[in-house]
Amino acid sequence: MTDQPQSLFSAVDGLLAAVDGGGVLPALEERVRLREAAGLTQAAVAQALGARVASIEAWEAGRAEPKAERLEAYRRLLEGLSRRFPASAAPSGSSEAPPRPDPGAAPPSAPAAPYRPAAPGRQPARRGEGKQSAACLHTALAGGTDPRFANGPLAVVDVEGGRVRAYCTGGLVLDVPAKSLPALVDWTLVEAKLGQPKLSGPGKDADPLLVLTQAALERYGLPTTLTEEERLAGRIPEGHKAVKQLARAQWKLTKRGFGPWARIYRPAAGSERACVQLCIPSWNALDARHWGEAGQLPPAELARVLGVYASRVMTPRGSTAVTGLELMTALHPPTRASRPDAGGKRYSEHNPGSLGQDPVDCAPCEAPDGHPLLAGLPRFHVRGPAEKLFEEAYDWARPMTDGECMLRHLVGIDVNMAFAAGANGLTVGLGGATHVKAPSFDPKLPGSWLVDLSHVDLSRVKVGKEWVELDASLLPSPFTPKGERPTGPAWYATPTVAYAAELGYEVRPFEAYVRHESGRYLDGWYQRLRDAYLATMADLGVGADLAPDDFLTAMDGYRARDPELAIVVSAVKATVKGGLGKLRERPRGEGWKPGQPWRALARPTWRPDIRAAVISRTRTNLHRKIVKHAAFTGQYPIAILSDCVVYAANGPSPLDFLPYREGKPLPGGFKLGINPGLVKYEGTQTVLWGEEVRERFNAPELNLARYIKDGTVTDADNGE
């Protein structure tokens, strides 16, 4: 007993030493508060610390603690954030951080305040105009974590009764005193408190976004619609009086000019930016293919739709494709501040894990037709598989067998956010390519490989550790978009060649362009878009852990439950596909001629190899599920279009052919659910319908997956 006080003292001394040495971290709630206050994702923190996202989740949940050098780095991060974002809202004498808002809580009721004309320097506002929901409240709170952006990321500017009003997220409405377009820009930057915190440590805060209605366009001297010539040019003329007004006020426009997504700025002074983004729906800024009827919504409802998207994805920077690409850069900025030198000065340096500031040349096989690398080819030369990397999504179909014709229904299933799932965990090249001859294939090395896969026989493949026999005539090849078996050497991305080896066949590349500098560049991008998709679907009543029958019921008519949030879902999915498409953006007019460079080539994010790797992995992921399904059930797909697969079945539901046992799906096969990579119901038609359509167009291999959703087929769809 006499040794107990000494042991207690030793324990206390050890605890004090840990505190002094930085070994004790803030409370779990404070760790989360600091990260969220800075607008950092767990993926961004994980990348900076060289850890996994799961590790960051564990550190914030108390399931584990960082060790060794990561402990010191994590403590330094939290200390730096605590200086920038002190817990000033905590009660006096309390060490607890202020409680975090519950995104699912009902919004507090507040009496509506009457409008008053705006006095100089004053911002009258009221809440309650427009729908309030958990998602809407979450948007308002997300904007309010930083006092600089207390009113959210954006506002829809409209004119009612002669007054200019700015409809913000969360139902907030501001009076706008600005009488001219330059004054509107000044008001936005000085008084409106609009914007969004950066998504990663080295990044930049999002500029405020103003959405101008037709009434606002008239008020500020802008056309409500574009002429045909202006629409084709993508901008109004430089001689327009509104553009001249901005120039006189020393505001500048980006190279794309004053178009549907105009950016108005002054050159940055130090770290201070002065930039406002405009969105003009009546100029087709909100493409109906991706934003549905958003452009026709009233101001408050439009602010809600764009606000939810901004809070969960990012403030739109242009089309969904442009925003998808910008999100990659926002999560992985090309540069960061260096450590201070002896004089305390910091410099800009390369941010590890990013694509850097300078574009890199693609490999010749990765170059699309017309690229400067191909300028030496004969004028009408057509590159074949041995000269051109051609990784694209499936467009495959086959005639039905006699047994399938005896069944009653054709049922389509669709992979949720298939390309996002293909990007998850994918190692891609970050730097330039190295050309090698006769390399040994390395499935962990991103690149493009010239290899002959014609010997891969799908009638006998390896599934897991076992060889299985299949009917190869009923399966598409996993190596070509049209499902045709290769006939000789061809260029493939790493995931395609790796899948050939997985099926049990030897691969011997003749040559390759590999990228030794690599990383999981798209992980944070995938996670943010996945979270946005799942959160919005949950608001629409489709949860992530539903039983198969409950999931099908929840998906039935989910868009009608809240059409505005359904628009957000469509926009999120378009952001995935469009962002990946931008990685290989083609020339867009501007007098371009084959062999000449085009504007997109100057971007470090012009990376056709990354796009090819994602598509390759998405296609092989789908083929893997099809093979496992065939090996287990003997059922083969009738048609595949991108991420939609059609099977013949005796019933109209996916559960009539998916092999569920006691609510559990086939391991590695298709599983119903809302998470990316799982499948949802696409549509059902009769077998008789399918045969009639194919006979009508005299096309026994017409891709029925294209029409399975509603059964509508027109002559125009088939070139007639």
Side-chain angles (χ1 to χ4, degrees):
M1 295 295 292
T2 56
D3 293 337
Q4 186 175 1
Q6 186 60 40
S7 63
L8 293 176
F9 293 158
S10 299
V12 170
D13 290 341
L15 184 59
L16 292 173
V19 173
D20 294 338
V24 176
L25 297 172
L28 303 179
E29 295 81 0
E30 180 67 0
R31 303 178 197 180
V32 177
R33 184 194 73 81
L34 290 171
R35 177 178 58 76
E36 293 182 344
L40 297 175
T41 63
Q42 290 177 331
V45 175
Q47 182 197 2
L49 299 179
R52 297 181 301 115
V53 174
S55 298
I56 307 300
E57 293 174 348
W59 299 349
E60 291 184 351
R63 298 193 301 270
E65 292 290 340
K67 297 178 180 179
E69 68 275 2
R70 286 198 179 92
L71 171 62
E72 174 63 21
Y74 190 43
R75 181 189 62 79
R76 181 176 180 180
L77 170 66
L78 296 175
E79 283 185 352
L81 294 178
S82 66
R83 289 193 295 270
R84 292 168 172 79
F85 306 100
S88 56
S92 178
S94 171
S95 60
E96 296 183 0
R100 287 180 287 151
D102 179 7
S109 59
Y115 269 104
R116 298 182 180 86
R122 186 168 172 267
Q123 293 186 66
R126 72 176 177 184
R127 295 186 181 272
E129 296 207 3
K131 295 182 182 179
Q132 290 276 4
S133 71
C136 191
L137 178 66
H138 173 71
T139 304
L141 293 170
T145 56
D146 190 320
R148 298 174 299 160
F149 313 128
N151 294 331
L154 56 91
V156 179
V157 180
D158 192 30
V159 180
E160 295 180 4
R163 293 176 179 170
V164 183
R165 297 171 175 174
Y167 291 79
C168 306
T169 55
L172 175 68
V173 185
L174 306 175
D175 278 339
V176 181
K179 304 296 184 183
S180 66
L181 189 57
L184 178 64
V185 176
D186 284 323
W187 172 83
T188 303
L189 293 171
V190 176
E191 298 184 47
K193 294 186 178 180
L194 296 174
Q196 192 175 34
K198 56 190 177 183
L199 296 181
S200 71
K204 299 175 182 178
D205 297 326
D207 299 317
L209 172 65
L210 294 182
V211 184
L212 303 183
T213 66
Q214 289 191 347
L217 292 173
E218 291 178 352
R219 168 61 66 93
Y220 292 113
L222 292 164
T224 55
T225 58
L226 298 179
T227 66
E228 182 65 16
E229 183 180 354
E230 291 168 343
R231 187 186 64 80
L232 292 175
R235 69 192 74 184
I236 59 177
E238 293 183 5
H240 192 280
K241 62 180 181 179
V243 178
K244 291 182 177 179
Q245 263 188 339
L246 291 170
R248 284 195 298 270
Q250 297 183 332
W251 289 105
K252 297 179 179 293
L253 294 166
T254 56
K255 289 183 179 179
R256 62 184 174 185
F258 204 125
W261 288 95
R263 295 187 69 78
I264 304 171
Y265 73 99
R266 285 188 180 127
S271 61
E272 294 298 323
R273 291 169 57 84
C275 184
V276 173
Q277 172 95 48
L278 298 185
C279 167
I280 306 177
S282 65
W283 295 5
N284 199 34
L286 301 175
D287 192 326
R289 293 172 298 175
H290 310 138
W291 289 101
E293 300 299 319
Q296 284 72 53
L297 290 174
E301 282 74 7
L302 180 55
R304 178 185 181 233
V305 168
L306 294 176
V308 173
Y309 179 90
S311 71
R312 293 178 174 175
V313 180
M314 70 179 297
T315 303
R317 294 286 305 273
S319 66
T320 50
V322 169
T323 304
L325 194 69
E326 291 288 341
L327 180 62
M328 297 179 195
T329 303
L331 293 169
H332 291 280
T335 61
R336 68 178 183 183
S338 67
R339 291 181 177 273
D341 60 16
K345 189 174 182 179
R346 295 178 183 269
Y347 301 90
S348 177
E349 66 178 13
H350 174 70
N351 183 27
S354 76
L355 298 181
Q357 295 187 89
D358 302 318
V360 297
D361 288 333
C362 63
C365 63
E366 298 163 353
D369 293 337
H371 192 280
L373 286 176
L374 310 176
L377 292 178
R379 184 176 178 184
F380 297 107
H381 178 75
V382 177
R383 293 188 295 162
E387 298 173 278
K388 180 180 180 179
L389 177 69
F390 193 66
E391 295 283 10
E392 298 294 340
Y394 268 130
D395 185 356
W396 169 87
R398 61 169 177 82
M400 284 185 273
T401 65
D402 292 343
E404 289 165 342
C405 288
M406 298 299 293
L407 301 176
R408 299 181 61 188
H409 298 281
L410 298 175
V411 185
I413 53 177
D414 181 81
V415 182
N416 291 312
M417 295 184 70
F419 295 102
N424 181 31
L426 177 65
T427 300
V428 300
L430 301 178
T434 301
H435 185 218
V436 291
K437 289 282 190 178
S440 297
F441 176 67
D442 183 352
K444 297 181 179 179
L445 190 60
S448 300
W449 309 77
L450 180 63
V451 59
D452 188 352
L453 299 180
S454 59
H455 63 290
V456 178
D457 183 5
L458 295 181
S459 63
R460 186 173 184 271
V461 297
K462 207 170 185 180
V463 178
K465 296 182 179 180
E466 298 181 359
W467 289 88
V468 298
E469 306 288 337
L470 300 172
D471 188 341
S473 66
L474 303 180
L475 283 172
S477 166
F479 310 128
T480 61
K482 291 293 185 180
E484 301 162 343
R485 185 169 178 171
T487 57
W491 285 99
Y492 303 101
T494 297
T496 301
V497 186
Y499 185 58
E502 179 186 325
L503 291 175
Y505 290 86
E506 185 180 22
V507 292
R508 291 183 178 180
F510 300 103
E511 59 178 305
Y513 288 90
V514 296
R515 290 171 170 83
H516 296 287
E517 182 187 355
S518 61
R520 290 166 55 160
Y521 174 72
L522 295 173
D523 273 11
W525 183 79
Y526 159 78
Q527 289 157 7
R528 187 153 181 93
L529 290 165
R530 173 204 62 192
D531 292 348
Y533 177 68
L534 293 180
T536 311
M537 289 301 295
D539 288 339
L540 288 165
V542 185
D545 299 314
L546 296 175
D549 285 313
D550 296 335
F551 171 70
L552 293 174
T553 301
M555 286 293 293
D556 186 19
Y558 76 91
R559 291 182 172 275
R561 294 174 200 142
D562 192 330
E564 293 169 15
L565 287 184
I567 291 174
V568 177
V569 171
S570 297
V572 170
K573 293 194 289 187
T575 302
V576 173
K577 289 188 176 181
L580 293 172
K582 277 282 184 181
L583 292 170
R584 201 191 68 153
E585 183 177 359
R586 301 302 307 275
R588 303 179 65 183
E590 301 174 349
W592 175 82
K593 294 181 180 179
Q596 296 178 346
W598 58 93
R599 184 182 300 179
L601 299 186
R603 293 194 322 249
T605 49
W606 193 83
R607 293 295 301 272
D609 56 299
I610 296 180
R611 173 188 177 272
V614 173
I615 295 176
S616 165
R617 192 163 187 244
T618 303
R619 193 182 64 246
T620 53
N621 281 349
L622 181 59
H623 195 273
R624 185 181 294 108
K625 288 180 170 61
I626 289 170
V627 165
K628 289 190 176 181
H629 185 87
F632 187 80
T633 67
Q635 298 169 333
Y636 295 83
I638 302 295
I640 310 172
L641 182 68
S642 187
D643 46 14
C644 176
V645 187
V646 176
Y647 281 91
N650 264 326
S653 167
L655 292 175
D656 290 315
F657 70 91
L658 292 181
Y660 273 83
R661 288 185 176 179
E662 299 179 355
K664 295 182 179 180
L666 171 68
F670 295 110
K671 177 182 178 182
L672 289 167
I674 200 59
N675 279 290
L678 305 188
V679 298
K680 63 180 182 294
Y681 171 58
E682 181 71 3
T684 296
Q685 305 298 328
T686 64
V687 168
L688 185 62
W689 164 87
E691 288 297 278
E692 187 275 331
V693 168
R694 285 178 164 178
E695 183 178 347
R696 172 182 161 193
F697 292 105
N698 192 27
E701 296 183 4
L702 181 71
N703 195 331
L704 299 176
R706 193 182 306 276
Y707 317 106
I708 195 70
K709 191 166 190 173
D710 59 12
T712 302
V713 186
T714 64
D715 291 342
D717 290 329
N718 294 278
E720 297 187 11

